[in-house]
Amino acid sequence: MVWVVFLILSFLCIGSVAAMIFSRNQAHNALFLVLSFSSLGGLFGLLDAPFAAAVQVLVYAGAIMVLFLFAIMMFNLRGELPARVKKARLALTVGLGTVLLAELLLAGRKLVLGSPGAGPAAGGDTARLGHFLFSDYLYAFEITSLLILAALVGALALAGKREGS
Amino acid sequence: MTTFMALAPLLAVVSGALAALLFEAFLKRKDHGVSAMAAIISLFTAGFLIVRSWGLELAYFGGRLALDPLALLLMAVFVLIATFVLLMSLEYAPRRDINLGQLCGLLLLAVSGLMIMVSSTDWLVVFLGLEVLSVASYALTGIRRNDWASSEAAAKYFLMGSFAGAFFVFGLAILFGATGDLSLAASLSGPGGPAGSPSLASVFGLGLIVVALFFKIAIVPFHMWAPDVYQGAPTPVTAFLTIAPKAAGLVVLFRVLTPLPGRGGTPSLLMQAVAVAAVLTMFVGNLAALRQKDVKRLLAYSAIAHSGYLLVAVVAGDGTGLVFYLIVYMFMNAGAFGVLAALSGRGEEHTWFADLAGLGRQHPWLAASLAIFLLSLAGIPPTAGFLAKFYIFSAAVAQGHVLLAVAAVLASLIAAAYYLKVIVAMYMQDAELEPVLDRENPALHLVIFLCLFGVVQLGLWPGNLLTLIRQAFIALF
């Protein structure tokens, strides 16, 4: 059963990344990336890392990609890039891609050849986080809500409906 | 004593902010007087609770919120300046298409951030308080939405402030990695126990945090945003921005930097850097102010220079002098900006030298008030500004920072020149234009009168206040 879920999630992840690369529409690119991030979050969940899964979805798929979408919406980048920039970008892509591949190979080799290792700390990560949040860091946690309120009011004051109009 | 009551002043201010915002949103009346009333009531409540907590040493959240006497003094200062700013805005806001309800809400949120900052000895809490303050101040700066200067100031303030916030977080991360603790005391203690010299990593982290705080209180070379922001913001907001964040930032700096010099080589290097920054700030602020043609911008540069004087008090470790200077500075700066607010008519601001010419003949009381505030800012004897400077400079000499004291005296000599220039314009030049004046504005004139009272009273009989401040510091150390 787990295998079926794993296969579905990995196909979804790889497929959406491929679709993101081949799609010409910038908004679609961003949406495909959101899909791949979410399925990656699901994969983390399968690996018994609920905190990493939640953060993956909340921070990457939620916060960062929504910001991306807004940027795409507002700036409306349509123009073709000059050839020189294209070439530089290709070189950068190849270079960074090689580094990433080498990293993955090294990590994979260690995983296959090396000892099983200690593995993650025995569960309870999220529980401990929650415990800290509502004991030691309760004050900071509550102030964060005040901060969000201030940001909300500030945004309304600067960009909300004008009085009288 | 650990009790929930320690939260009461903060809760009073936050609930005032919420009430003001709800009234603004749901009442159909246009003048938002109800919001202002709610804000002022909550400020008075907070002030009452602060006075009640004096001497009780209340604490909560495992000591992360501690109402020590220093924190209470500063909180009282914040309540007072917020009240002044509210009274100044009552008439100012509606005449310039500023939404008074939103202004009240944001102002109170900023005050709550300030209170959080000064009442904690935990870096994380201090950081969050600073961010609450900053976010509210960005919005307050840009609250005049029909004015390009105001929007530009808000954008600049936001970008530079976020940058400084990133410095703070980076420093916090390094500090946490080096010590495993986020309390102010832990960041100063080394691996060998609380008395040991801190490690290089934690001094580096501390340095980054100090830089972030320097950004917020406009210390040279991190002051670039300040003149534009102070000039672009609505005048009452400028009065708030030049006083309140400065007071909070300097008290945090004082809490963390004062124990440093006894802690070996690297930390005292940090202290020397602070001294150099103080000298640079005094000279750059004052020299730049000499060339200004706009009195509001002149006062903006003078605010930068005053950060330098206050930093001298931090270097000399003179807490009494620091708090006294902050209180005096609050009165004289709020008063000066109050007079500027009175001079601006409907829509346009009239703060150029030419607008002030002949003011001494046409509006003698207003001109005399402004002259006294400026003389106090310059540090001329019978006013409180002189005593404040005198205490700080003599403390610097007593602690062996003679060069620093000499630099400070030279800088204040330069400062006297441009303050006198304004007075000369008011009394000795003939008016080319009819000065525009808000006549029916009793709240604003009350603020000017109270500030005048503060400046003169503290200049002649500073004893009571000094005793109070000394008590606070005896309890602290």
Side-chain angles (χ1 to χ4, degrees):
Chain A
M1 181 62 205
V2 174
W3 274 102
V4 178
V5 179
F6 172 75
L7 279 179
I8 295 175
L9 282 175
S10 13
F11 271 119
L12 212 57
C13 186
I14 298 173
S16 57
V17 169
M20 178 196 81
I21 293 172
F22 291 118
S23 159
R24 308 284 298 170
N25 184 322
Q26 280 155 345
H28 289 175
N29 286 347
L31 287 173
F32 276 126
L33 199 56
V34 171
L35 185 59
S36 80
F37 278 151
S38 312
S39 37
L40 199 59
L43 285 176
F44 287 159
L46 278 186
L47 289 172
D48 265 347
F51 181 65
V55 168
Q56 173 76 21
V57 173
L58 283 179
V59 175
Y60 281 93
I64 296 181
M65 286 319 294
V66 168
L67 206 67
F68 250 76
L69 271 175
F70 267 104
I72 291 170
M73 217 167 72
M74 290 194 169
F75 295 121
N76 198 16
L77 307 163
R78 291 266 157 153
E80 273 290 303
L81 289 168
R84 202 167 51 82
V85 178
K86 261 188 179 167
K87 231 177 242 171
R89 186 182 286 182
L90 190 66
L92 201 65
T93 313
V94 171
L96 287 180
T98 320
V99 171
L100 187 64
L101 189 65
E103 258 178 42
L104 280 176
L105 282 179
L106 275 176
R109 201 184 53 135
K110 233 178 206 168
L111 204 67
V112 174
L113 298 182
S115 59
D125 247 356
T126 343
R128 251 181 53 203
L129 189 84
H131 182 75
F132 271 127
L133 213 52
F134 288 100
S135 60
D136 280 12
Y137 294 96
L138 178 62
Y139 190 33
F141 180 70
E142 294 294 339
I143 300 171
T144 314
S145 59
L146 193 62
L147 177 61
I148 294 172
L149 176 73
L152 204 67
V153 176
L156 264 179
L158 294 184
K161 204 172 63 181
R162 275 169 205 253
E163 219 168 315
S165 64
Chain B
M1 195 176 14
T2 303
T3 159
F4 188 73
M5 279 309 283
L7 262 177
L10 191 61
L11 286 181
V13 173
V14 173
S15 48
L18 292 177
L21 290 167
L22 288 176
F23 283 137
E24 190 271 329
F26 288 109
L27 286 190
K28 290 293 166 209
R29 286 174 57 192
K30 280 284 169 212
D31 60 347
H32 302 308
V34 188
S35 295
M37 192 59 79
I40 287 187
I41 289 174
S42 83
L43 280 174
F44 280 172
T45 315
F48 172 72
L49 291 166
I50 289 166
V51 174
R52 275 291 303 276
S53 316
W54 182 262
L56 293 181
E57 295 284 340
L58 302 177
Y60 201 59
F61 293 119
R64 283 186 169 78
L65 168 73
L67 296 187
D68 55 17
L70 178 60
L72 287 174
L73 262 181
L74 262 291
M75 285 161 106
V77 171
F78 299 144
V79 166
L80 206 56
I81 178 68
T83 312
F84 284 173
V85 171
L86 268 180
L87 290 177
M88 277 156 80
S89 317
L90 283 182
E91 291 290 319
Y92 184 95
R95 290 184 195 182
R96 281 165 196 76
D97 294 331
I98 296 173
N99 187 326
L100 185 61
Q102 285 174 349
L103 186 122
C104 293
L106 286 167
L107 187 71
L108 289 186
L109 283 174
V111 170
S112 68
L114 289 163
M115 287 180 162
I116 292 167
M117 251 178 104
V118 294
S119 64
S120 183
T121 51
D122 185 280
W123 275 124
L124 185 63
V125 175
V126 170
F127 170 70
L128 287 170
L130 183 69
E131 284 304 303
V132 173
L133 162 71
S134 307
V135 167
S137 326
Y138 306 146
L140 278 175
T141 309
I143 205 163
R144 249 187 101 185
R145 286 172 57 188
N146 299 330
D147 182 28
W148 280 107
S150 179
S151 308
E152 185 197 335
K156 272 185 183 159
Y157 199 15
F158 174 63
L159 287 176
M160 299 310 284
S162 316
F163 199 54
F167 266 77
F168 204 124
V169 175
F170 194 37
L172 264 187
I174 293 176
L175 211 55
F176 189 68
T179 61
D181 196 345
L182 282 174
S183 67
L184 291 193
S187 61
L188 298 172
S189 60
S197 176
S199 65
L200 192 62
S202 57
V203 172
F204 183 65
L206 201 59
L208 282 176
I209 293 178
V210 168
V211 165
L213 286 171
F214 276 8
F215 255 113
K216 296 286 177 186
I217 59 177
I219 296 289
V220 176
F222 311 107
H223 68 294
M224 294 305 181
W225 57 273
D228 289 336
V229 170
Y230 292 164
Q231 191 184 15
T235 309
V237 174
T238 310
F240 181 75
L241 290 182
T242 50
I243 298 162
K246 196 172 286 183
L250 279 159
V251 166
V252 172
L253 277 176
F254 180 80
R255 278 188 201 269
V256 66
L257 289 181
T258 319
L260 263 186
R263 297 289 173 79
T266 342
S268 60
L269 204 66
L270 190 61
M271 209 60 186
Q272 277 164 14
V274 174
V276 170
V279 173
L280 275 178
T281 308
M282 290 185 289
F283 278 96
V284 171
N286 281 330
L287 288 174
L290 270 181
R291 301 183 49 212
Q292 301 310 317
K293 299 258 186 297
D294 181 348
V295 179
K296 198 171 170 190
R297 201 171 172 83
L298 184 148
L299 284 177
Y301 276 107
S302 118
I304 295 176
H306 279 277
S307 300
Y309 301 133
L310 287 158
L311 212 51
V312 171
V314 173
V315 173
D318 177 22
T320 316
L322 177 72
V323 175
F324 184 70
Y325 199 114
L326 279 172
I327 292 173
V328 170
Y329 180 67
M330 174 188 75
F331 282 119
M332 53 199 190
N333 222 32
F337 278 112
V339 175
L340 285 192
L343 281 175
S344 43
R346 193 176 287 267
E348 285 294 301
E349 305 234 316
H350 297 273
T351 57
W352 294 84
F353 271 101
D355 298 317
L356 287 181
L359 193 70
R361 212 158 301 148
Q362 279 150 330
H363 303 285
W365 287 106
L366 213 54
S369 312
L370 185 57
I372 290 175
F373 293 134
L374 291 174
L375 288 176
S376 180
L377 281 166
I380 309 287
T383 55
F386 166 73
L387 276 184
K389 277 204 178 69
F390 175 74
Y391 290 139
I392 285 183
F393 296 171
S394 55
V397 173
Q399 294 291 318
H401 301 286
V402 179
L403 271 179
L404 193 59
V406 171
V409 171
L410 281 179
S412 27
L413 282 181
I414 301 174
Y418 61 81
Y419 291 124
L420 289 176
K421 219 164 78 176
V422 181
I423 296 175
V424 166
M426 283 194 304
Y427 283 101
M428 302 187 185
Q429 286 174 9
D430 286 327
E432 295 160 18
L433 313 156
E434 183 70 18
V436 189
L437 196 65
D438 270 354
R439 277 184 188 283
E440 291 146 19
N441 200 341
L444 180 60
H445 289 130
L446 176 69
V447 171
I448 295 174
F449 172 74
L450 287 177
C451 290
L452 203 60
F453 180 73
V455 167
V456 175
Q457 206 266 344
L458 290 178
L460 297 176
W461 298 282
N464 288 339
L465 184 62
L466 279 174
T467 318
L468 202 66
I469 299 173
R470 287 211 186 94
Q471 267 177 12
F473 278 94
I474 288 168
L476 202 62
F477 293 113

